[in-house]
Amino acid sequence: MTDTAPAQAADTPTEATGPAPDHLDGVDLESWGLGTNNATGLSNNKLGMWLFLGSDCLLFGALISTYLLMRHRGTGIGPEDVFDIPFTSVSSFVLLMSSMSMVFAVSSIARGDDQKLRLWLLVTSLLGGTFIAGQVYEFTSFYREGMGYTTNLFSSAFYSLTGFHGVHVSVGIIMLMSLFVLSLTGRLKQDRAETVEIVGLYWHFVDIVWVLIFTIVYLIP
Amino acid sequence: MTVTHEGTADAGYEAATDEARHEHHPSDAQYWKVGLALGLITLLEVGTYFIADPPYDHELAPLLIGSLIFMMVLKFIVIGAYFMHLKFDNRLFRNVFVAGLVLAVGVYLAVLTSFEYWSDRYEADTGSEDAVLVEDGS
Amino acid sequence: MAIVERPSTSETLELEAGPRHATPEDALGVFKRPQGDTGWRSWLFTVDHKRIGIMYGAAALFFFLVGGIEALIIRTQLAAPDQALISADLYNQLFTMHGVTMIFLVVMPIGAAFANFLIPLQIGARDVAFPRLNAFSFWCFLFGGVFFNSSWFIGGGAADGGWFAYAPNTSVIFSPSHGMDFYAIGLQITGIASLVGAINLIATVLNMRAPGMTLMKMPVFTWMSLVTQFLLLFAMPVISVALFLLTFDRLFDANFFDVSAGADPLLWEHLFWIFGHPEVYIMILPAFGIVSETIPVFSRKPIFGYEFIVFSGAAIGFMGWGVWAHHMFASGIGPISVAAFAVSTMFIAVPTGVKILNWMATMWGGKLSFTTPMLFSIGLVTMFTIGGLSGVSHAVAPADTQQTDTYYIVAHFHYVLFGGALFGFVGGFYYWWPKAFGHMLREGLGKAHFWVMLLGFNLTFGPMHVLGLQGMPRRTHSYFDGYGFNVWNLVSTIGAFLIALSFLIFFWNIWVSKRDAKKPEWVSPGPDPWDARSIEWMTASPAPSHNFDHVPVVTHRDEFWYRKYGETDDHRIVRIAAAEDVAQTGDRTDVHLPAPSYWPILLCASFPLIGWGLIFNLGIAFAGGALALLALYGLAMEPADDPDGGHGHHDDHVDHSPTDGSDAAASPTDGDADKEATLVD
């Protein structure tokens, strides 16, 4: 291939006949990381995760609204009959603490401390698993009290909302365990700290959704 | 929405992944404090619930519910700002998230309002067999 | 220029120093990566945004045929009063499937086709931010569409609840076939495609712009697509929840829309239209973007009021979230809600009107050339204005209660969706065809297409205004003689077949133009057949797989035009360079591109299995779930970049390309994968 054609020269930055610099309108081309096509200097992956989380707000918003509209309509068993606030408070606290251990996992890999990373990933997964186990126990005891999925509006809406959240937590645990295995096999080093950070964002989001659910669904029946 | 490039001057492409950026982040000790604060707020929340003596017959019920919502929002903001680094990261991340959040809150509050969820009439439907929304003029 | 003084470490500037998340030893891909750039494999496993865009377009045109045939059957049934060519039940299925197909499987994917093909080219990027997720989006859409349409054969009847699927009409009691299950799960699958596509394209536009391409220098099409993707990002989860609730109601006996259990089915209407109204703008904004590209080119003027057109587009996107209940004026939402939403609906006409004004002002005083793309663009401006005016009449709530569920509504939304979106899209096909395939479509046939389509369109949908005001209800399978409906229905049916004829001309044009391009006397149109303004024309036609030999440094809005034209001292515009001299030849061979992948198509193939399984046999669903899990891990563990892959120039249009004859069989010249980072998926 011939690289001497004027057509190509016109847009190589080294070509003097290119557009005059005064047309740049004060744009700081350095911030583009010339040649990397990165206009904001931000990671695609992280931006993608934040976009997804913004989108997920609408998902949980719809589920919470549905629950609010339905919980006192219809007949039969209601929130007051089944909720066990002390129990749910403990499992909420467990999920909250898992968020904190996730933060330590992120800062461990940022320091390059693989041992600590694995420790905190494991702790986070276990705390998340405890939360899920609590949810399973809760669902089972509700069911024993006569509250099936199809019993009434409240039960359908409650199980759907908390079930969706539970699925989110479970997906998070799967991701955490995958990271744990990757780290064990030496594929998750300091240069991929961002991967852990992104999984962490997801995990924290799941936690703040539970913050909302805990207050709106459980504490204000 | 506007994307500012000013904010990226110190966070170049390379810096987006390396440790330099984490210097702005809280230390582990600070994270412990944040976690402790969150746990305390949760304790307060549960305490408030039991003061309210469900199903909210307490004379201060509106105040108690208001403080529960306040604590919920506080926890939300603290987790978002510290654990999710929104306070320290590029504003673009915060903007896309807050856009979704604000949209969700606005739209769904409008739906609830349209259902007259806040009025006593909505509650009055509770438990009725043929509960269908009562509408003005119908 | 200041920037040129930066020490250049290597000859190749492209895509260096990205955070490499994957090194060769990380490769956990189970299979060898697909390679090569010809044959069916190169399409099935491609991650090239241009090929994905073309496949989006081709799939959408296929579904357009399906939906069009459904429409023709409907119109034949309605050609004369008291006909019973088809049963009322089948009629319900036909109008439902027609609506859903045209909206979710035609207009939205064509918008996605243009967005995929054009955004990276218009912002000077190599590819999108997540190339493999891009392939995932396409296959997810295609498999979702196939799944949805499979209800004709295995669902015991297709969906029959209308595209809006109002509860409780969609409950098992009122819609006992599996059609609505296919609707709910099928739209769920295409919704995932839209959501992932939105995340991908937003990240692309925000992050991947060429140096100097600030947001306010982006072409209007890219801007409108960005707004569209934000709408998709936030609207899809809402319909997802609605569809989940419907699925749970139908398959697992939940109570969400069960009135006898105390439910309020209005919830469905709210959730549906919170999604449904942004959806309207999701469909129209890409077409607005297209005409904002074509009208300046064929008026020989820059777009009038770029800032206004961009901000009004963003305003439409924002305000589109505050008007949904105008679809529900007749549903009893209460006078306060009706008043509030009526006012907000009237307001949203303002930014739309701003755009119409901008296009007309762009044409005003311009040197107009009435090429086929220009004709279609003017078609959009005029037809959409008619549809917009009837739309404002719906905003007046008392009038709307008269119009609701009549053919007046059908006339309105066809004027905005067919007269608006589709006219724009067809114009876009004619305009960018050379960039995609290297040859033009025939102008004569294109103009014939336009005039027949314009005539047929107005004959079909114009009379529906009259029918609606006369009181003819929508969604009725037949009408009585003697109501004064006969003549206009017949006219409308004739018009529908004229539209069909116009698309036959289009498909003939596609075929005959391709045949032309194979003739020895055929002359290539070159990189810039329209004397265009934006930088996608600054590379060869068809666009090479690496898009640009050198990522352009952008200093102007309409960058390409400023490289071709200059201003003399007495303020005359003069040509300073030929397009061929400015445009890149596209024959560079050492660009390392993202490698093709098996996983996206495999992952998407699992979704219909899960869907069918949920409806018929949970065992199949588990098998599908297992496949999905496997493919997800494959996708996640596979490096976006294949260290063993060949370098660049996977150009399959060699025969037609004017510039790349010399290096068609170019071999990799640079084997050092580490020196050339690629896009990180």
Side-chain angles (χ1 to χ4, degrees):
Chain A
M1 102 186 201
T2 52
D3 225 330
T4 52
Q8 295 199 356
D11 43 60
T12 25
T14 46
E15 172 54 47
T17 60
D22 56 307
H23 289 302
L24 284 170
D25 298 337
V27 171
D28 175 22
L29 283 177
E30 294 292 326
S31 70
W32 257 271
L34 187 64
T36 61
N37 269 47
N38 197 301
T40 55
L42 302 174
S43 144
N44 285 340
N45 295 336
K46 202 166 155 188
L47 181 59
M49 178 52 85
W50 273 114
L51 287 165
F52 170 73
L53 297 183
S55 169
D56 233 21
C57 289
L58 276 286
L59 184 104
F60 278 105
L63 286 165
I64 292 174
S65 314
T66 303
Y67 173 79
L68 287 179
L69 286 168
M70 301 205 159
R71 64 176 169 186
H72 288 311
R73 295 178 76 93
T75 51
I77 203 158
E80 304 82 4
D81 306 324
V82 287
F83 283 168
D84 178 359
I85 297 299
F87 178 82
T88 313
S89 303
V90 172
S91 68
S92 302
F93 184 76
V94 166
L95 194 64
L96 200 64
M97 289 305 107
S98 80
S99 233
M100 192 168 70
S101 61
M102 188 71 226
V103 170
F104 294 139
V106 174
S107 63
S108 299
I109 193 170
R111 286 195 310 268
D113 189 343
D114 287 357
Q115 295 258 315
K116 282 269 176 59
L117 166 71
R118 287 195 284 276
L119 171 72
W120 287 119
L121 283 176
L122 201 62
V123 168
T124 311
S125 318
L126 285 176
L127 289 171
T130 311
F131 175 82
I132 289 295
Q135 201 167 35
V136 170
Y137 170 78
E138 187 187 40
F139 281 13
T140 320
S141 67
F142 287 2
Y143 184 75
R144 291 222 182 91
E145 289 177 54
M147 183 177 144
Y149 184 65
T150 61
T151 302
N152 59 12
L153 283 179
F154 160 68
S155 72
S156 293
F158 173 81
Y159 283 128
S160 296
L161 169 59
T162 50
F164 257 92
H165 179 265
V167 168
H168 271 73
V169 176
S170 307
V171 169
I173 294 173
I174 293 172
M175 292 198 288
L176 290 170
M177 291 315 292
S178 306
L179 290 181
F180 181 77
V181 173
L182 279 180
S183 175
L184 268 185
T185 53
R187 292 172 201 274
L188 191 64
K189 294 288 185 195
Q190 195 174 4
D191 60 337
R192 297 177 75 178
E194 190 191 76
T195 310
V196 180
E197 189 188 347
I198 289 170
V199 172
L201 289 178
Y202 175 87
W203 189 260
H204 299 310
F205 177 76
V206 170
D207 186 29
I208 55 175
V209 169
W210 188 258
V211 166
L212 300 184
I213 290 176
F214 179 57
T215 302
I216 294 175
V217 173
Y218 288 89
L219 296 184
I220 313 178
Chain B
M1 70 182 291
T2 22
V3 182
T4 51
H5 296 292
E6 290 81 12
T8 65
D10 60 333
Y13 193 53
E14 287 298 317
T17 46
D18 69 15
E19 257 185 299
R21 195 186 33 141
H22 288 277
E23 287 170 7
H24 306 293
H25 287 180
S27 64
D28 281 6
Q30 280 169 298
Y31 281 134
W32 278 111
K33 284 180 200 153
V34 173
L36 190 70
L38 287 169
L40 283 177
I41 298 176
T42 308
L43 261 179
L44 267 178
E45 282 181 331
V46 179
T48 312
Y49 171 85
F50 283 108
I51 294 173
D53 188 21
Y56 289 85
D57 291 336
H58 201 279
E59 52 187 359
L60 293 176
L63 184 74
L64 295 172
I65 290 177
S67 58
L68 278 176
I69 290 174
F70 173 76
M71 286 186 281
M72 173 185 85
V73 173
L74 193 67
K75 275 165 81 179
F76 191 108
I77 292 173
V78 168
I79 296 176
Y82 288 91
F83 286 178
M84 298 173 94
H85 301 164
L86 280 182
K87 194 177 171 203
F88 315 99
D89 244 347
N90 192 286
R91 269 182 294 171
L92 181 60
F93 296 139
R94 188 194 63 196
N95 287 349
V96 293
F97 182 64
V98 169
L101 186 67
V102 167
L103 204 56
V105 171
V107 163
Y108 296 124
L109 281 185
V111 170
L112 293 180
T113 307
S114 176
F115 274 107
E116 302 186 17
Y117 180 76
W118 318 112
S119 79
D120 294 339
R121 293 222 318 265
Y122 194 86
E123 290 289 312
D125 283 336
T126 305
S128 69
E129 277 292 341
D130 53 348
V132 176
L133 255 195
V134 183
E135 286 299 335
D136 286 354
S138 62
Chain C
M1 295 164 64
I3 51 156
V4 306
E5 308 303 337
R6 295 182 79 212
S8 176
T9 49
S10 78
E11 241 266 281
T12 55
L13 284 169
E14 279 68 27
L15 302 171
E16 279 196 333
R20 283 182 59 87
H21 289 228
T23 48
E25 53 271 24
D26 286 335
L28 285 183
V30 179
F31 304 118
K32 199 168 154 50
R33 301 285 285 256
Q35 288 183 8
D37 41 321
T38 51
W40 56 273
R41 281 189 196 84
S42 70
W43 288 87
L44 286 192
F45 309 126
T46 187
V47 295
D48 180 347
H49 72 95
K50 295 175 292 300
R51 288 186 172 209
I52 290 167
I54 290 168
M55 289 196 291
Y56 257 117
L61 282 178
F62 168 75
F63 285 122
F64 180 76
L65 283 180
V66 174
I69 289 167
E70 284 158 1
L72 289 179
I73 299 173
I74 291 171
R75 278 322 313 172
T76 310
Q77 158 69 17
L78 292 174
D82 298 319
Q83 288 207 100
L85 297 175
I86 53 174
S87 70
D89 179 35
L90 185 57
Y91 185 87
N92 283 350
Q93 297 173 30
L94 280 170
F95 77 69
T96 302
M97 295 298 283
H98 167 74
V100 178
T101 302
M102 287 302 191
I103 288 166
F104 291 95
L105 307 181
V106 177
V107 174
M108 283 171 74
I110 296 183
F114 281 107
N116 263 296
F117 189 89
L118 287 174
I119 285 179
L121 282 169
Q122 287 199 328
I123 62 174
R126 285 263 179 267
D127 207 313
V128 292
F130 308 105
R132 290 177 307 153
L133 286 187
N134 205 22
F136 168 84
S137 293
F138 167 72
W139 293 111
C140 197
F141 142 71
L142 185 63
F143 280 110
V146 168
F147 172 83
F148 175 62
N149 275 285
S150 71
S151 64
W152 283 116
F153 308 108
I154 58 174
D160 55 3
W163 87 280
F164 44 85
Y166 278 177
N169 208 18
T170 48
S171 62
V172 181
I173 304 171
F174 301 111
S175 182
S177 81
H178 280 303
M180 291 316 293
D181 300 326
F182 279 84
Y183 166 93
I185 299 170
L187 291 193
Q188 199 73 266
I189 298 173
T190 60
I192 295 170
S194 297
L195 182 64
V196 173
I199 291 172
N200 196 350
L201 290 175
I202 292 171
T204 305
V205 174
L206 293 182
N207 268 358
M208 310 281 289
R209 281 167 285 136
M213 175 75 79
T214 56
L215 287 176
M216 292 312 279
K217 287 198 180 77
M218 293 197 307
V220 180
F221 174 79
T222 298
W223 251 113
M224 292 304 109
S225 290
L226 179 65
V227 175
T228 303
Q229 302 308 324
F230 268 106
L231 289 175
L232 280 169
L233 180 76
F234 295 134
M236 295 325 289
V238 186
I239 187 75
S240 281
V241 169
L243 292 169
F244 273 126
L245 301 185
L246 178 61
T247 311
F248 291 158
D249 258 16
R250 287 184 57 92
L251 295 180
F252 309 123
D253 296 325
N255 301 306
F256 296 110
F257 306 118
D258 181 0
V259 181
S260 64
D264 190 337
L266 259 189
L267 176 64
W268 169 272
E269 292 194 31
H270 275 292
L271 290 180
F272 185 82
W273 288 117
I274 289 172
F275 149 79
H277 201 81
E279 168 74 7
V280 171
Y281 299 107
I282 288 165
M283 290 190 277
I284 194 65
L285 282 177
F288 281 0
I290 288 170
V291 300
S292 304
E293 299 291 313
T294 53
I295 287 178
V297 167
F298 297 113
S299 307
R300 319 283 315 133
K301 280 175 66 186
I303 187 105
F304 178 87
Y306 173 91
E307 289 84 357
F308 269 94
I309 216 158
V310 164
F311 284 122
S312 63
I316 288 174
F318 184 72
M319 292 166 74
W321 288 93
V323 298
W324 77 85
H326 68 214
H327 296 269
M328 304 162 58
F329 281 162
S331 67
I333 49 172
I336 297 170
S337 298
V338 167
F341 282 101
V343 170
S344 64
T345 304
M346 288 177 200
F347 269 119
I348 204 170
V350 174
T352 317
V354 166
K355 282 181 169 324
I356 305 274
L357 183 98
N358 276 297
W359 294 322
M360 292 198 295
T362 305
M363 286 188 270
W364 181 265
K367 250 195 253 170
L368 303 186
S369 53
F370 293 99
T371 59
T372 306
M374 183 63 165
L375 287 175
F376 276 103
S377 303
I378 298 173
L380 179 146
V381 176
T382 49
M383 296 301 110
F384 182 85
T385 303
I386 296 174
L389 289 175
S390 61
V392 174
S393 76
H394 304 325
V396 184
D400 184 71
T401 47
Q402 297 294 312
Q403 297 155 359
T404 294
D405 283 343
T406 71
Y407 264 83
Y408 190 81
I409 303 286
V410 182
H412 158 72
F413 68 67
H414 280 93
Y415 264 85
V416 288
L417 281 183
F418 193 125
L422 209 59
F423 268 77
F425 287 148
V426 175
F429 282 141
Y430 279 93
Y431 181 64
W432 279 293
W433 203 268
K435 191 49 67 187
F437 300 107
H439 62 84
M440 314 268 290
L441 292 172
R442 281 194 189 175
E443 272 294 288
L445 281 175
K447 283 175 182 162
H449 174 193
F450 171 73
W451 289 111
V452 176
M453 184 163 134
L454 186 73
L455 181 69
F457 165 75
N458 280 293
L459 283 181
T460 309
F461 301 109
M464 288 184 185
H465 289 112
V466 183
L467 285 170
L469 292 177
Q470 283 178 329
M472 181 167 166
R474 310 161 63 172
R475 307 179 198 119
T476 48
H477 136 274
S478 167
Y479 54 93
F480 293 124
D481 197 6
Y483 279 72
F485 299 158
N486 301 11
V487 175
W488 291 123
N489 270 300
L490 183 61
V491 170
S492 180
T493 301
I494 293 170
F497 280 91
L498 274 178
I499 295 174
L501 173 67
S502 78
F503 276 92
L504 285 181
I505 298 174
F506 180 51
F507 291 123
W508 166 253
N509 195 355
I510 291 174
W511 189 75
V512 83
S513 303
K514 185 167 173 59
R515 201 186 56 186
D516 287 349
K518 285 184 177 154
K519 291 179 180 163
E521 70 270 22
W522 175 76
V523 182
S524 162
D528 179 31
W530 307 110
D531 196 9
R533 313 178 70 87
S534 44
I535 60 172
E536 77 266 27
W537 300 100
M538 216 167 77
T539 187
S541 296
S545 54
H546 58 275
N547 289 358
F548 295 96
D549 294 334
H550 301 275
V551 172
V553 175
V554 177
T555 53
H556 290 82
R557 213 173 273 160
D558 294 335
E559 173 72 18
F560 185 39
W561 191 87
Y562 278 95
R563 295 196 186 196
K564 292 187 292 181
Y565 293 90
E567 202 175 346
T568 59
D569 290 338
D570 52 341
H571 304 298
R572 282 186 309 115
I573 305 291
V574 290
R575 183 135 198 159
I576 53 173
E580 282 71 17
D581 296 335
V582 179
Q584 306 181 359
T585 52
D587 52 7
R588 194 168 157 178
T589 55
D590 56 352
V591 183
H592 199 76
L593 291 167
S597 173
Y598 294 111
W599 298 115
I601 187 171
L602 264 178
L603 177 53
C604 297
S606 69
F607 294 154
L609 290 178
I610 297 173
W612 287 319
L614 282 175
I615 296 171
F616 297 114
N617 180 344
L618 281 180
I620 304 174
F622 283 119
L627 177 62
L629 202 63
L630 173 78
L632 259 177
Y633 266 97
L635 191 69
M637 297 300 162
E638 170 187 75
D641 169 28
D642 179 7
D644 305 323
H647 283 209
H649 215 227
H650 308 278
D651 191 350
D652 63 324
H653 301 291
V654 181
D655 300 339
H656 317 285
S657 172
T659 54
D660 58 0
S662 60
D663 61 283
S667 57
T669 54
D670 178 5
D672 189 358
D674 287 335
K675 263 173 89 176
E676 289 179 292
T678 56
L679 303 160
V680 174
D681 192 343

